[in-house]
Amino acid sequence: MKRWLSKAEESLGNHSDRLNAINIFPVADGDTGTNLYLTMCAASRAAQEVESTDLGELLAVAGRAAMEDARGNSGTLFAVFLSALAEPLHGANRLTARLLASALHRAQIRSWSALSDPVPGTMLSVLEAAARGAGETAGAPESDDSNHALAETLHAAVEHALQAVIQTESQLGALTEAKIVDAGGVGFLLIMDALRASSLGEELQDELIDGLHGYDIQAPHLHNGGDADGVEIMCTIVLSPLDAATLRLHLDELGDSVIMSAVTEVPEGYRWRVHVHVPNPEPALKLIHEAGEPVNISVTQLAPRFPLSESVGAGAPAPERSGDQRG
């Protein structure tokens, strides 16, 4: 697992420029690759410091670190994915086909539920396909706890993820018009291939991305931020489940791309990571401060042509730019 996160960090770093270039939905602010890479860096750093051989414990620590330092929509969704992936793996010190399928299924459910308005044709669709591929293979009568069964399940998950990435172009009008695939979906495909390579002692499959529409280095840099408007707000806040649901409802009324996911349980309820895109920051910030005492608040202009925002309050600095629905 440590090797996976480290290899995924390297892969996302190598591909971040091209992922940024095809980031056009829902906001063409060109930072999907950067957001995924920086969030993965936080997860990988935390994992390297864990001494436990418990897979769930290790990934839970990495997931919390990713959540606290998540960048943009894509980074936040990856952090949700990683935290949920850890849950079925607690107590296990070896990955098997069935555990992988169970973990991906849990991560799929949690990731879809974290978004108020999930959209097909995004990173979520690619995660769902990977979970489906793993579940079908691990659930076959001949599947067992052998390394061979794990290899078959990992290969199936990656292949299903690849096919889902290809299909994103026809699932979203903006991608169809631009003749490109989804940036967040490609990023998640790279993450899954890193898991396959690290678990099986194999190399990354660079040919996976060959031929993906818009991904060739010669293809144009599509995002331009011309129609981007508003800001991205992110913060961490302690709330009860009821208060969190109420805040989520109000944020849905003000903006879009709302993500709320529990980070850790505390006596007062849970620490929640909050993400939203809004036209104007003041009403949303007022709601957040009325709900509790937020920390790590960042307010970032969505359009890259605008100046980057300052970080508000305690905690980490604001991300360079915001993310998108899947990226």
Side-chain angles (χ1 to χ4, degrees):
M1 294 298 101
K2 291 180 179 182
R3 190 163 59 243
W4 165 41
L5 297 175
S6 178
K7 190 178 286 287
E9 176 185 346
E10 179 182 354
S11 182
L12 289 172
N14 290 337
H15 288 271
S16 60
D17 284 350
R18 198 63 217 157
L19 292 174
N20 289 343
I22 63 170
N23 168 206
I24 65 169
F25 178 85
V27 179
D29 54 355
D31 61 1
T32 290
T34 301
N35 287 337
L36 276 173
Y37 169 69
L38 292 175
T39 306
M40 181 64 78
C41 287
S44 183
R45 280 196 307 269
Q48 303 311 316
E49 298 176 0
V50 178
E51 298 296 333
S52 173
T53 59
D54 184 312
L55 300 183
E57 182 180 346
L58 187 150
L59 291 182
V61 170
R64 285 194 296 271
M67 192 76 73
E68 292 286 4
D69 201 28
R71 307 297 182 100
N73 229 346
S74 60
T76 305
L77 282 174
F78 168 70
V80 173
F81 160 79
L82 193 58
S83 297
L85 196 73
E87 294 172 5
L89 300 179
H90 279 288
N93 57 19
R94 176 176 174 270
L95 189 62
T96 66
R98 292 187 178 94
L99 280 175
L100 174 62
S102 177
L104 287 173
H105 178 68
R106 179 72 61 85
Q108 170 205 341
I109 294 173
R110 284 277 304 276
S111 298
W112 275 93
S113 63
L115 266 169
S116 291
D117 188 22
V119 177
T122 64
M123 182 175 169
L124 294 173
S125 297
V126 181
L127 168 54
E128 180 179 30
R132 184 172 61 253
E136 291 172 357
T137 306
E142 64 273 17
S143 181
D144 52 28
D145 289 340
S146 68
N147 288 342
H148 175 74
L150 175 61
E152 292 294 312
T153 301
L154 283 163
H155 282 293
V158 172
E159 180 58 32
H160 277 68
L162 173 60
Q163 294 306 314
V165 168
I166 294 171
Q167 292 170 14
T168 59
E169 182 181 349
S170 62
Q171 290 177 289
L172 284 170
L175 302 181
T176 304
E177 183 177 353
K179 296 182 174 60
I180 59 172
V181 293
D182 178 70
V186 178
F188 186 75
L189 173 64
L190 294 173
I191 291 169
M192 285 302 301
D193 190 50
L195 176 60
R196 176 204 57 77
S198 301
S199 299
L200 305 180
E202 299 176 355
E203 296 299 320
L204 295 173
Q205 301 177 98
D206 293 332
E207 66 275 11
L208 273 179
I209 59 174
D210 289 347
L212 291 180
H213 285 182
Y215 204 75
D216 290 339
I217 195 65
Q218 297 87 353
H221 199 78
L222 290 166
H223 88 82
N224 56 24
D227 59 356
D229 193 15
V231 298
E232 173 193 64
I233 297 176
M234 297 188 69
C235 69
T236 303
I237 188 170
V238 174
L239 297 171
S240 69
L242 178 59
D243 289 341
T246 302
L247 176 59
R248 180 173 182 159
L249 178 65
H250 290 323
L251 292 177
D252 280 333
E253 294 171 347
L254 289 179
D256 54 29
S257 294
V258 178
I259 305 176
M260 287 193 64
S261 184
V263 182
T264 53
E265 188 171 5
V266 295
E268 301 89 343
Y270 292 87
R271 284 170 55 81
W272 298 83
R273 189 64 173 165
V274 180
H275 172 283
V276 63
H277 292 172
V278 290
N280 188 331
E282 282 75 16
L285 289 173
K286 183 174 184 291
L287 284 172
I288 291 170
H289 280 283
E290 287 175 349
E293 299 180 0
V295 297
N296 296 352
I297 306 175
S298 66
V299 181
T300 311
Q301 293 286 356
L302 288 174
R305 67 177 182 270
F306 296 145
L308 301 180
S309 74
E310 60 183 317
S311 181
V312 184
E320 294 179 6
R321 302 186 188 99
S322 71
D324 64 12
Q325 179 88 15
R326 4 116 292 312

